Amino acid sequence: MQPPALDLATYLEDLRRQIDATLERALDRRQTPRLIKEAMRYALLGGGKRLRPCLTLASAEAVAATAAVDPHVAHLLALPSACAVEFVHAYSLVHDDLPAMDDDALRRGRPTTHVVFGDGIAILAGDGLLTEAFAVLAESPSPAAPPGAPEAPPASRLRAVAALAAAAGAAGMVGGQAIDLAAAGRVRADQASGAALDANALEDMHARKTGALIRAAATMGAMAVGADERRLAAVDAYARELGLAFQIIDDILDVEGSHEQLGKSAGKDVAAGKLTYPALYGLDGSRRLAADGIARAKVALDRAGLGGRLGEIADWSLGRTR
Amino acid sequence: MQPPALDLATYLEDLRRQIDATLERALDRRQTPRLIKEAMRYALLGGGKRLRPCLTLASAEAVAATAAVDPHVAHLLALPSACAVEFVHAYSLVHDDLPAMDDDALRRGRPTTHVVFGDGIAILAGDGLLTEAFAVLAESPSPAAPPGAPEAPPASRLRAVAALAAAAGAAGMVGGQAIDLAAAGRVRADQASGAALDANALEDMHARKTGALIRAAATMGAMAVGADERRLAAVDAYARELGLAFQIIDDILDVEGSHEQLGKSAGKDVAAGKLTYPALYGLDGSRRLAADGIARAKVALDRAGLGGRLGEIADWSLGRTR
């Protein structure tokens, strides 16, 4: 018996509830000293869209549907991956906000982790979140999984570790942030390029800094339910386009948005002299670029016979206002 | 035909050569941006004893000998683990040396990574090393392994990921550093204990901050060659005692040593008002404590029928002068 279809907002809200419970469960380890646990919780539980772990669960569900596997089972199998991805995302925000990096005092409308806990503990909280992401994937049973939940086989979990490490590592997110720092002149003078990025370099920087983790989020969900290579590639192509569109819309919102809508300082990119999509292509050109990408994302899904909510999430990403 | 036995120094030198070649191989990834790769290499290749990866290879060799497996094969199976452990060790030094943490300008007689590359890139280089440690364990073939090397099965590598993450994570190394920072009053005033650690708290702090990774180094070597639970437990007990003795000798050398011998500022612990083993037990009492631990370490090996170089390494650790 099929339950009535929920609208997307209700569906995502349900996923977020599962994800938040999972994050709490994974954080609640007896052996962790109080101070570092509090800083990790602060960094992790301050709200946020939970886009990446929602993608993990929605991808698992879409692939599972092709094998008539129950969505609930797909979610259980993918929860450790969803949790690991959000741990990595939260760590990256804590470190990027540090005075030695982007020096942001405000995030999601709250003081950033280093403002509350000091730089030293904030660095350690980020280190802890990054490391625990891999514990969550590798331990059996996973600290992220509800008691008795089924788990993906070792080879599949090992592949998820590799995918997450590649996305987060020196060629991915860490490398993207290094390129961004250098372009902003925030490294030592003899090592900074100082030069503004061109369009290709901008796309490369975003592909590493934010795109790689969004792709890992989606493909790790597909891996958790045993996707074949063709469907993995389709989910990856979908997520690559989605990640790029997300970045373009972020840049548009930074130009158009207000402090309240974004929870961070609007117009900050422009003030910092950062190259953005609107600066390169104008607002209309940027919107077209994002819409074209989302169209390609949906074609990739269709060709691999993947339904579910992934297409709706893509459409929603174009229209979002924060 | 058995080759003639090498003395320990020559044996360790041979392991170090294998390890350094492995680290170079694992760092040399085409997709990594130049600036971050240089900072990671600087942090990783500045010398050092390579104690932890040597333990990984020696443990693998000792366990392999009980199944008449060739030492060379044992080393090949364990090289990804040895590399991952050294990546994590190097990352922890980079982050611990930051101004927001222990604020050290000198390490192994060279300027620390943040002095050379700036704080932002140093944070990212540490993040990159930590993340790549897990890539090295999970990717197949491992970027650390020589072409055509045999690899441990997925379940064993996944267990190594879990062991490394637990040792390095919030309940292990990260937690130990947070306790150390708080005791040194280097966190925000309302969160610092400010109080000196007592003997139990000192042991707990060291067990997390340095002991956990030394234990993981040894047990991951044993895992890579398929050790049974009894031998894993023996290697773990051995490494726990070895790690503690190492810390005690470090404290003794800090009191007695010179700048040249340690490659860092001698007497620094005392100057910083840190609690040390000599301060608690005196120099003779500390030496006895270390010797008792090493004796227990060797009993653990004997009971599990583990020979090889592990016992010699334990003896050497007592007599070392740097």
Side-chain angles (χ1 to χ4, degrees):
Chain A
M1 196 176 72
Q2 203 67 2
L6 305 170
D7 65 43
L8 183 69
T10 309
Y11 170 77
L12 290 176
E13 193 45 46
D14 172 58
L15 294 192
R16 271 184 218 113
R17 249 195 309 272
Q18 289 188 58
I19 289 158
D20 285 345
T22 300
L23 298 174
E24 278 284 1
R25 195 162 41 229
L27 269 182
D28 188 30
R29 304 252 233 173
R30 258 185 320 128
Q31 295 295 324
T32 308
R34 187 187 54 77
L35 178 57
I36 193 73
K37 195 191 283 193
E38 277 178 20
M40 287 165 68
R41 172 171 283 118
Y42 183 86
L44 199 58
L45 301 178
K49 291 182 287 289
R50 308 287 189 216
L51 166 71
R52 291 156 192 80
C54 282
L55 267 182
T56 306
L57 299 187
S59 297
E61 189 180 325
V63 171
T66 64
V69 170
D70 186 80
H72 181 62
V73 172
H75 293 169
L76 286 175
L77 286 167
L79 274 176
S81 287
C83 177
V85 163
E86 189 67 8
F87 271 30
V88 168
H89 178 57
Y91 125 76
S92 76
L93 299 182
V94 173
H95 281 194
D96 285 2
D97 286 340
L98 286 165
M101 302 259 246
D102 300 344
D103 196 11
D104 271 309
L106 203 61
R107 162 80 61 187
R108 295 169 184 164
R110 296 189 317 159
T112 43
T113 305
H114 67 272
V115 170
V116 177
F117 292 89
D119 292 5
I121 293 295
I123 293 169
L124 287 171
D127 293 344
L129 286 165
L130 172 58
T131 311
E132 296 300 326
F134 295 104
V136 157
L137 289 175
E139 281 183 28
S140 179
S142 170
E151 66 184 19
S156 149
R157 285 149 61 209
L158 194 65
R159 195 170 174 187
V161 169
L164 185 60
M173 182 190 276
V174 161
Q177 176 68 3
I179 292 170
D180 202 14
L181 270 190
R186 292 188 59 86
V187 301
R188 286 172 36 126
D190 55 325
Q191 293 157 347
S193 76
L197 301 171
D198 65 15
N200 282 340
L202 178 74
E203 193 157 324
D204 175 64
M205 188 270 284
H206 285 312
R208 295 174 189 266
K209 188 173 164 169
T210 60
L213 188 63
I214 291 174
R215 288 167 69 180
T219 52
M220 286 165 69
M223 284 173 194
V225 295
D228 61 24
E229 296 304 318
R230 192 173 68 95
R231 294 214 169 90
L232 268 184
V235 167
D236 188 44
Y238 159 84
R240 189 178 60 236
E241 299 290 357
L242 181 70
L244 183 59
F246 231 86
Q247 186 58 53
I248 297 170
I249 302 289
D250 262 357
D251 281 3
I252 294 172
L253 291 174
D254 184 74
V255 175
E256 294 185 332
S258 72
H259 179 281
E260 283 71 35
Q261 285 176 306
L262 285 175
K264 62 175 185 177
S265 319
K268 182 164 173 161
D269 295 346
V270 176
K274 281 195 181 182
L275 187 66
T276 65
Y277 284 96
L280 271 174
Y281 303 103
L283 280 171
D284 285 347
S286 298
R287 276 196 205 93
R288 248 190 329 270
L289 211 58
D292 290 349
I294 291 304
R296 284 192 300 272
K298 292 165 76 176
V299 169
L301 294 177
D302 284 346
R303 285 194 182 146
L306 292 169
R309 301 293 188 149
L310 294 175
E312 285 178 68
I313 291 173
D315 286 332
W316 159 82
S317 78
L318 272 186
R320 75 196 170 92
T321 54
R322 67 181 192 94
Chain B
M1 198 175 71
Q2 204 66 1
L6 305 170
D7 66 41
L8 184 68
T10 310
Y11 170 76
L12 290 176
E13 194 44 48
D14 173 58
L15 294 193
R16 272 185 216 112
R17 251 194 308 271
Q18 289 188 58
I19 290 158
D20 285 346
T22 301
L23 298 174
E24 277 285 1
R25 192 160 45 228
L27 269 182
D28 188 29
R29 304 252 234 173
R30 257 185 322 129
Q31 296 293 323
T32 307
R34 187 187 53 78
L35 178 57
I36 193 74
K37 195 191 282 194
E38 277 178 19
M40 287 166 68
R41 172 171 282 119
Y42 183 86
L44 199 58
L45 301 178
K49 291 181 289 289
R50 308 289 189 216
L51 166 72
R52 291 157 192 78
C54 281
L55 267 182
T56 306
L57 299 187
S59 297
E61 189 180 323
V63 170
T66 65
V69 170
D70 186 81
H72 181 62
V73 173
H75 293 169
L76 286 175
L77 286 166
L79 274 176
S81 287
C83 176
V85 163
E86 190 67 8
F87 272 29
V88 168
H89 178 57
Y91 125 76
S92 76
L93 299 182
V94 174
H95 280 194
D96 285 1
D97 286 339
L98 287 165
M101 302 261 245
D102 301 343
D103 196 12
D104 272 307
L106 203 62
R107 162 80 61 187
R108 295 170 181 163
R110 297 190 316 159
T112 44
T113 305
H114 67 271
V115 169
V116 177
F117 292 88
D119 292 6
I121 293 296
I123 293 168
L124 288 172
D127 293 344
L129 286 166
L130 172 58
T131 312
E132 295 301 326
F134 295 104
V136 157
L137 289 175
E139 281 183 29
S140 180
S142 169
E151 67 184 16
S156 149
R157 284 149 61 210
L158 194 64
R159 195 170 172 188
V161 169
L164 185 61
M173 181 190 275
V174 162
Q177 176 67 4
I179 292 170
D180 202 14
L181 270 190
R186 292 187 61 88
V187 302
R188 286 172 36 129
D190 55 325
Q191 293 158 348
S193 75
L197 300 171
D198 64 16
N200 283 339
L202 178 74
E203 193 157 326
D204 175 64
M205 188 271 282
H206 285 311
R208 295 173 188 270
K209 187 172 164 170
T210 60
L213 188 62
I214 290 176
R215 288 168 69 181
T219 52
M220 287 165 69
M223 284 173 195
V225 295
D228 60 22
E229 295 305 318
R230 192 174 68 95
R231 294 215 170 88
L232 269 184
V235 167
D236 187 44
Y238 159 84
R240 189 178 60 237
E241 299 290 356
L242 181 71
L244 183 60
F246 229 87
Q247 186 57 53
I248 296 170
I249 302 290
D250 262 357
D251 281 3
I252 294 173
L253 290 173
D254 185 75
V255 175
E256 294 184 334
S258 73
H259 179 281
E260 284 71 33
Q261 285 176 307
L262 286 174
K264 63 175 185 179
S265 318
K268 183 165 170 161
D269 295 347
V270 176
K274 281 196 182 183
L275 187 65
T276 65
Y277 284 96
L280 270 174
Y281 302 103
L283 280 171
D284 285 346
S286 297
R287 278 197 203 92
R288 249 191 327 270
L289 211 58
D292 290 350
I294 291 305
R296 284 192 301 271
K298 291 166 74 177
V299 169
L301 294 177
D302 285 345
R303 285 195 182 146
L306 291 169
R309 300 293 187 150
L310 294 176
E312 286 176 69
I313 291 173
D315 286 332
W316 159 81
S317 78
L318 271 186
R320 74 196 172 92
T321 54
R322 67 184 189 91

